Amino acid sequence: MAVERVLTGLKTETLYRMTAKVKYENVAKGCGAVIFNHSDIQYWNSSEYLLGTSMDEWTTATVDFLTDQFGSARICCALGYWL
C-alpha cells in the first residue's frame, strides 16, 4: 500500500524532478521507504530506497517522473514496492 497524490496541470509528456524531505524510523532491510511515479508509461524509476532510521534530520528523496498525455502524474510514497 502507498500514499498517493495525483499532480495535474503540468506540461504533457514532460520529464520532471521531485524532491521530498522525509524522516523515518526502524525501516528494515528490503522494505525501504521509496517515492515513485505509478504509471504505465514509466515503471523504471524511483527514489533511492531509504533504510534504517533518520529521525534527527530530514533526508532528501528525489525521483524523476514523466507526465502523461493529459499533463498529470501519480506520485506515490511507500515502504517497499507498491503492489
Side-chain angles (χ1 to χ4, degrees):
M1 177 152 299
V3 176
E4 178 181 289
R5 176 68 149 215
V6 177
L7 305 177
T8 60
L10 304 172
K11 291 184 182 180
T12 60
E13 299 173 338
T14 301
L15 183 65
Y16 283 85
R17 174 167 287 165
M18 185 191 94
T19 59
K21 298 286 188 178
V22 296
K23 289 186 178 185
Y24 51 95
E25 184 175 24
N26 300 325
V27 179
K29 184 176 180 180
C31 296
V34 64
I35 299 171
F36 61 96
N37 181 19
H38 184 233
S39 165
D40 292 337
I41 61 171
Q42 183 188 11
Y43 53 86
W44 43 263
N45 197 22
S46 69
S47 68
E48 178 182 345
Y49 283 78
L50 303 172
L51 302 171
T53 298
S54 176
M55 293 300 292
D56 294 333
E57 59 185 63
W58 292 97
T59 299
T60 301
T62 302
V63 64
D64 295 330
F65 65 92
L66 290 169
T67 57
D68 63 18
Q69 69 270 24
F70 304 108
S72 62
R74 290 172 47 188
I75 303 298
C76 301
C77 180
L79 289 177
Y81 186 72
W82 183 80
L83 299 174

